[in-house]
Every structure is written in structure tokens, then in C-alpha cells.
Amino acid sequence: MGREQWKKIWIGSAGNMVEWYDWFVYASFATYFAGAFFPHGNPTAQMMNTAGIFAVGFFMRPVGGWLLGRVGDRQGRKAALTLTVTLMSASAVLIAVAPTYGVAGYGGALVLLLARLLQGLSVGGEYAASATYLTEASDPRRRGFASSFQYVSMTAGQIVGLGLQILLQRTLSDDALHSWGWRIPFVVGALGAAVIFYLRRSMLETEVYEADDSGGAERGTLRALWRHRREALLVMALTMGGTVAYYTYTTYLTKYLSNSAGLPKRTATLVSFTALIVFACLQPLAGRLSDRIGRRPLLITFAVGSTLLTVPILTLLRHAGSFWPALGLSLLALVVVTGYTSINACVKAELFPTGVRALGVALPYALANALFGGTAEYVALWFKNAGIESGFFWYVAACAAVSLVVYVSMRETRDLDLTRVKNAEVSTPAPAS
């Protein structure tokens, strides 16, 4: 892989890291600011309110996927990536300065909601623009390896957020964190986004996009996407099981270990932090493996493992009791999830032609995330509040089982030429190769 390709991957990944740092830091610090924007009362109800606003951000992702996917296909991947980080910076600033319930009543919650809507728009386009950029910028023989850095950077963003949380937990009192300390990570996110904006202004466009002259006026339009509706539905089905599992073992894990397993917040945070470091290191290894043996074997391994192991893992985690058992079970879960996360970006990008690739990945992926990924935490808390927390375990396993059917029947995409992808090449199911 040449120096220019590494430069493209670095800039694309660094921006993705900041985007997802800002996105996930909301969830990781929610336990500290949940009481700041809503009346005092039931802590679980406060968490459900903040989780509801977290989910609302996901429902803006289809809108962001459509708008920014269109920009990516018509104006270029660089233009879309620059716009997404601008929106994310604005949202981080809003959260950092949002007034509390004691100062402005529900006005603070409205500012929080507006910020999450902007984040939803941003991330709705960021995923597809980043997935498309990383896939197109790489050597065709190493697309799995290169695109795996999307989840390396996503996870790195969360690691930085959790690392900052650990630092603040050890330098500030609990009262200070609940009072004002939770604002610090959002200030850091806004500054990081400003740096990435500067870097992305000088980034290079992909050769695949610059060489494409197809599509004309229909580039990035819903009409063009409709001609690839089978692939769009495939993206949604591909995403369903993976996104629920990913958000369960990353975003929700710290809260689950704290609220259900009874671990101290600091221990729960350290478990997530350590597990995510290992998880990030696994992504390129699995991506490179997919370049050798294909995408489908990894996807099928993930789906089988998630279907069979989710209930036992989450049940045992609830009784883990200390750091090491919790870490071991968390790592087992994330090893399974790696079969999806390491390659899902390139698999989806490989399904569409250049003129509709960004929109084709963005819109159906965002819809699936709005329905399943964004609601995972809220569904988990709903089951817990209803006194049937184990019902959520079966829900995660069922979503993985649905995706397994798709993985088994889909065609292998590893050897497709991105400059010559046609509808007929990818829409017809084929047996395992």
C-alpha cells in the first residue's frame, strides 16, 4: 500500500475518530449529566430520557444519509467528509454550553435535543462517506484491510472518550463530575473537530470517483438508488444484527456493568476501555483475513456466534462481580462482533456503482441504525425497567439470527471491480464460494 493511500486512510480515519468520539461521548457521560436536564426522581427514568434523546439522533441519520450521501456522490467524498465534521463540531459546542434544568427548565433538554439532531445529520453522512472513501482509496486487493480502519477509528474515538472519563473520574470528585465536569469532553470534541476540518480541506479525492463519468444528473439521486433497491435492502439486512450487537457491547456495556452487574462506575468504565483497545487492534487483522478468504465467512461466523452466545454472555456478565470476569466476557463478545465490524464498510460499498455508492450505503444503513442500533440502549433499559431484562438478550440474538439468513444467501463481494459494479453482479444470491 503506497504512501498516498496511507495518507488518505489516515485523514479519513482521523476525522472519523473525532466524529464518533463526539457521538459516543454522549452515551458514556450520560450517567453524569442525566440529572442535569431532567427533574430529580427515578434514576432509571432519567437514563431513559437521555437514552431517548440519544435514539432521536439516530432518527436524523436517514436524513443526514440522504443529504450528505447526495453531496458525496455529486460533489465528491471530500466535500461530504468536510461538511460532516463541521456539523459535528457545532453539536459538540451546543452540548458543552447547554443550560441545566435548574437554570432553564426543559430549555436545556431542548438544546441537548438540537445538538443530537445535528449529530444525527453529521454521522448519517459520515459513515457512508468514510466507508466509501476508505474503500475507494485502497488497493483492490486490500479493501478489507483498509476499510477496517473505519471501525478502528470509531473505536479509537470511544477509547479516547472513555480514557478522558477515567482521567476525570480520578481527578475530579463525583459531585464535580455531575455538576460541571461532564462538559469537558464536549469542549475537547469541538476542538478536535476544528483540527480535522483543517486536515480534510487538503485531503485528496479518490481516483475511483474522479475517473467515473457515469450517472450525470442522476448521480446521488433517489431515482438512481431505486434501480439498486435490492442492494439497499441487502444493506439494511446486513446491518440489523451487527449494529444491535455492536451498540450492546460498546455503548450500552458500561451502563449494563454498572446498573445491572453492580460494578462501580470506575470499574465498569475500565472494563470497557480495556476491551475496546483489544477490539480496535483486531479490526485490521480480520479485515486482512477477509481479503484472503472472502467477506462471507467472517459475517457468517459473527452471526452464528452472536445468535448462540449472546444470551449466555450477557447472563454471565450480570453476575461477573469483578474486573477480570467482566473483561473476559466482554472480550469474547467483541471478538465475535469483529466478524461484522471489520468488513461491513467495504461489503456495503462494494454493492453499488460509483455514482450512487455514497447514497446507497448511507440511506439504508442509517435507516437500519435508526430502527435497531439507535434504539438498542432504550430497548435494553425498557426491558430492565419492566423487570424482564433477559428479554433484551433474546432480542439481540434474534436480530443476529435474521442477519445470518442474509449472510448465508448473499454473493461474495471481495473480487468485484468497483469501477464496473453493476446491479446484476451483486443482487442475485449465490451459494458459498
Side-chain angles (χ1 to χ4, degrees):
M1 190 172 291
R3 183 176 179 180
E4 285 300 319
Q5 289 180 333
W6 276 114
K7 181 179 179 181
K8 291 177 181 179
I9 291 172
W10 153 244
I11 295 178
S13 297
N16 203 35
M17 180 184 72
V18 174
E19 288 268 359
W20 289 93
Y21 163 87
D22 286 334
W23 179 259
F24 282 120
V25 83
Y26 177 98
S28 62
F29 277 85
T31 55
Y32 293 104
F33 67 74
F37 296 103
F38 301 99
H40 295 291
N42 185 342
T44 300
Q46 291 179 343
M47 288 299 299
M48 288 183 70
N49 285 329
T50 53
I53 293 179
F54 181 79
V56 165
F58 276 84
F59 285 98
M60 285 301 291
R61 287 174 68 165
V63 180
W66 168 56
L67 290 174
L68 295 168
R70 181 182 174 89
V71 171
D73 285 327
R74 297 181 72 87
Q75 305 299 323
R77 318 313 188 200
K78 174 183 174 180
L81 287 169
T82 304
L83 182 55
T84 59
V85 78
T86 303
L87 292 172
M88 186 60 75
S89 179
S91 67
V93 171
L94 283 175
I95 297 177
V97 301
T100 63
Y101 181 83
V103 173
Y106 284 106
L110 289 176
V111 173
L112 191 66
L113 177 61
L114 175 60
R116 289 299 294 176
L117 293 177
L118 288 177
Q119 285 188 340
L121 283 173
S122 175
V123 176
E126 170 68 22
Y127 174 87
S130 177
T132 301
Y133 188 87
L134 290 172
T135 302
E136 291 181 349
S138 63
D139 185 318
R141 297 167 298 178
R142 295 189 176 183
R143 288 201 299 257
F145 174 76
S147 65
S148 72
F149 282 89
Q150 182 178 51
Y151 268 81
V152 172
S153 58
M154 286 173 63
T155 306
Q158 192 170 4
I159 289 171
V160 172
L162 286 172
L164 181 57
Q165 186 174 16
I166 292 171
L167 177 63
L168 293 176
Q169 286 172 339
R170 282 158 173 71
T171 56
L172 297 178
S173 67
D174 198 57
D175 288 341
L177 273 172
H178 282 84
S179 176
W180 57 269
W182 60 266
R183 297 182 187 273
I184 294 175
F186 297 102
V187 174
V188 172
L191 294 174
V195 172
I196 299 304
F197 175 80
Y198 173 79
L199 291 175
R200 282 187 167 177
R201 289 184 62 188
S202 62
M203 71 191 300
L204 301 174
E205 188 58 81
T206 68
E207 294 178 2
V208 172
Y209 179 83
E210 291 184 328
D212 182 69
D213 58 0
S214 63
E218 290 196 352
R219 268 180 172 272
T221 63
L222 293 176
R223 178 180 296 180
L225 180 59
W226 180 251
R227 289 197 289 271
H228 297 272
R229 54 191 177 276
R230 291 184 181 180
E231 287 73 27
L233 290 173
L234 184 58
V235 168
M236 292 187 68
L238 282 168
T239 302
M240 179 181 178
T243 191
V244 171
Y246 177 75
Y247 281 100
T248 297
Y249 294 120
T250 57
T251 303
Y252 182 61
L253 181 65
T254 304
K255 298 183 185 66
Y256 179 70
L257 292 175
S258 177
N259 297 335
S260 297
L263 294 179
K265 286 181 181 178
R266 293 186 178 186
T267 303
T269 302
L270 187 59
V271 168
S272 294
F273 179 78
T274 307
L276 286 172
I277 290 176
V278 177
F279 179 66
C281 294
L282 290 174
Q283 303 309 300
L285 299 177
R288 189 70 184 102
L289 180 62
S290 79
D291 289 328
R292 293 180 178 273
I293 67 173
R295 321 298 189 211
R296 292 176 66 254
L298 271 70
L299 291 172
I300 291 172
T301 299
F302 151 71
V304 171
S306 191
T307 300
L308 298 179
L309 297 177
T310 293
V311 175
I313 288 174
L314 289 175
T315 300
L316 290 171
L317 271 173
R318 188 165 55 187
H319 303 287
S322 61
F323 173 82
W324 289 109
L327 177 61
L329 289 166
S330 300
L331 286 175
L332 175 59
L334 289 173
V335 167
V336 172
V337 174
T338 295
Y340 166 79
T341 55
S342 61
I343 58 172
N344 83 96
C346 67
V347 169
K348 293 162 189 172
E350 287 167 345
L351 294 176
F352 297 95
T354 303
V356 75
R357 184 168 291 131
L359 179 62
V361 175
L363 185 55
Y365 172 81
L367 285 169
N369 264 274
L371 293 172
F372 302 104
T375 58
E377 182 178 336
Y378 194 85
V379 171
L381 291 170
W382 183 89
F383 274 112
K384 178 178 174 59
N385 205 41
I388 49 173
E389 188 169 33
S390 61
F392 176 68
F393 310 167
W394 291 99
Y395 168 75
V396 177
C399 290
V402 172
S403 288
L404 175 59
V405 176
V406 178
Y407 300 155
V408 170
S409 63
M410 70 178 286
R411 181 178 295 276
E412 179 59 62
T413 62
R414 177 189 58 179
D415 297 321
L416 291 176
D417 183 347
L418 293 184
T419 63
R420 302 180 64 183
V421 174
K422 302 297 180 183
N423 196 54
E425 290 180 325
V426 293
S427 62
T428 304
S433 58

